[in-house]
Amino acid sequence: NMGAGTISPHLAHGVHKVNVEVVRGDDVLPADTVFNVMKFDVEGFEPDAAEGLKGAIERSPHAAIVLEVWAPAWREIGDLADLLARFTLGSKLAFEIGHDGFLQRLRLDDPQAMDALRDRSDPFYMLLVPEDHWAIDFISSKLRRAIK
């Protein structure tokens, strides 16, 4: 992804401004929409996008979710653990997607691991999947370490 944009005045670099209408996904999607995969990459507003798609996320408990996590931008919205809960809504395994395509297991229930994520200044991609996801064997083959 080579492009970038923002709706936040303090994050903007002043290159080009365009007015856009912002709508909640749940307000425009049919009420029975269910996803297999969801991707969130909206320049620091992923938690807001998840809130706007809360109904779709709740109806899609078996979906794999890929999201960009950018702790410095998310701090302005709330606590990282609370914001990640908007995406998980249940038991999901979490992985960091490395630049090389390999996965590193993230322990969102470990306070020290969460502190390390809160302290990160670089954006990174996270994969969230249910423990019984159909692609868990493929995911396991992409791990730097085996799932325990």
Side-chain angles (χ1 to χ4, degrees), residues 114-144:
M114 285 305 301
D115 286 343
L117 291 177
R118 284 182 188 96
D119 291 341
R120 288 187 67 164
S121 60
D122 61 317
F124 66 95
Y125 282 97
M126 182 182 288
L127 170 65
L128 299 168
V129 294
E131 294 181 10
D132 62 348
H133 194 269
W134 59 268
I136 202 70
D137 289 336
F138 173 76
I139 291 167
S140 295
S141 75
K142 294 296 182 184
L143 283 176
R144 294 184 201 286

Side-chain angles (χ1 to χ4, degrees), residues 74-75 77-85 114 118:
W74 287 26
R75 277 187 213 112
I77 302 170
D79 179 68
L80 184 63
D82 294 336
L83 298 174
L84 285 172
M114 285 305 301
R118 284 182 188 96

Side-chain angles (χ1 to χ4, degrees), residues 78-105:
D79 179 68
L80 184 63
D82 294 336
L83 298 174
L84 285 172
R86 294 182 184 181
F87 298 93
T88 59
L89 297 178
S91 179
K92 294 215 183 218
L93 300 174
F95 305 90
E96 178 176 350
I97 304 172
H99 294 289
D100 58 4
F102 282 96
L103 303 173
Q104 179 71 43
R105 177 76 191 272

Side-chain angles (χ1 to χ4, degrees), residues 34-106:
V34 176
F35 291 94
N36 291 315
V37 176
M38 300 178 87
K39 181 178 185 229
F40 294 84
D41 184 352
V42 287
E43 305 305 320
F45 289 90
E46 292 78 9
D48 293 326
E51 188 64 28
L53 287 165
K54 184 176 181 178
I57 292 171
E58 289 173 346
R59 288 188 305 275
S60 306
H62 298 292
I65 298 176
V66 177
L67 63 140
E68 183 180 43
V69 177
W70 189 22
W74 287 26
R75 277 187 213 112
E76 296 178 20
I77 302 170
D79 179 68
L80 184 63
D82 294 336
L83 298 174
L84 285 172
R86 294 182 184 181
F87 298 93
T88 59
L89 297 178
S91 179
K92 294 215 183 218
L93 300 174
F95 305 90
E96 178 176 350
I97 304 172
H99 294 289
D100 58 4
F102 282 96
L103 303 173
Q104 179 71 43
R105 177 76 191 272
L106 298 172

